[in-house]
Amino acid sequence: MSGIYLHIPFCKQACHYCDFHFSTSMGHKEATIQAIARELELRRNYLQGQEVKTIYFGGGTPSLLTQAELQLLLETIKGLFIVSEDAEITLEANPDDLKPEKLQELRAAGINRLSIGLQSFHEPHLRLMNRAHNATESLQCVKDAQAAGFDNITVDLIYGIPAPDHSIWLNDLETLFSLNVQHVSCYALTIEPDTALGRWSKKGKFKPSEDDFTAQQFELLLAQMAQHGFVQYEISNFCQPGYESRHNSNYWRGVHYLGVGPSAHSFNGHSRQYNVANNRKYTAAISESIIPAEIEELTLADQANDYLLTTLRTTWGCDLAVLRDKYAYDVQASHEVYLQELQQKGLASIAANVLYLTDKGKLLADQITLDLMLE
């Protein structure tokens, strides 16, 4: 099985925390969508006939696609690839785009899973992040989506936003649970240098939260999710039983995927491919039937590190036997003392030869992974 990711690089406005590739100018949108359809044709053999089980429209803001643009891309995929009848087809959306008529268009096109970027229900936080919607729209769009027949909805929330205490975050979570969505992705506010918040932070105009404050909010998140019956199957992802994101789970399981569009990434097991993050350069190259991408061939050590990076973030953990037998990396032999220390400190456990991070260890997942990686 495999997946297809489509990067739709357009937004109404720039969120102050986002460093993904996008443009707020729509003048080149039609040409870019046509180029994405053409790239699908050019790369029809990338997945080598594997059945496509997931399709994911990310961005950017895919909910800016017209019905005709969305149908063009989906029909192109279905004409070129073997698509499973029960494929998970996800579209990322902003609340302000999800009016009832838009929701009907998405349903008619074949979208069966919505990923809605709520981020917060607190108006000052939405303004700080320069979101294009308000809290009322956040609530209404989810209700409208449910009324339109969407029964697989995930929403995004951001924690670690500077605040006097944790009451705003707890209120956000209380509001979230009242919506009865099936899946939630929660991310700590990260200050990237080439963003408004990054520039303000450098100039002293914005002070990020302390690490301890953000860690406390993560711990509150874990407690609340467990209390409301959500399963944490990856560090940032929670779902009601049976509603894991099939597309994102495939990333963490090392399943092959094709990424099309400016800045999109692809993976076929032995290499990664990175499309140019520039709309005009992308469309110009595609018009000449050239894929404007860099290819990184993965060594066995690279593959071992990828396996560590992805599996340690998940509930199914890192199978040390797979790491040893498939990727020739015996982490137990090379890091015996370190692994013992992790277990003694309550940061990790090993059961049936599988390494798991505890809730405490998940707070340090990036550092632990780095410590275990092959150099």
Side-chain angles (χ1 to χ4, degrees), residues 65-81:
L65 290 172
T66 65
Q67 185 174 18
E69 290 167 340
L70 185 57
Q71 287 178 332
L72 167 67
L73 295 174
L74 283 172
E75 288 171 6
T76 300
I77 290 171
K78 291 176 181 178
L80 296 170
F81 300 89

Side-chain angles (χ1 to χ4, degrees), residues 207-240:
K207 185 178 180 182
S209 296
E210 298 291 338
D211 289 346
D212 284 350
F213 180 85
T214 301
Q216 288 165 11
Q217 295 212 327
F218 180 71
E219 290 168 344
L220 288 169
L221 169 67
L222 297 186
Q224 288 291 307
M225 285 292 173
Q227 183 178 328
H228 286 83
F230 279 75
V231 177
Q232 184 192 25
Y233 68 101
E234 192 270 345
I235 286 179
S236 301
N237 287 274
F238 306 80
C239 69
Q240 294 179 5

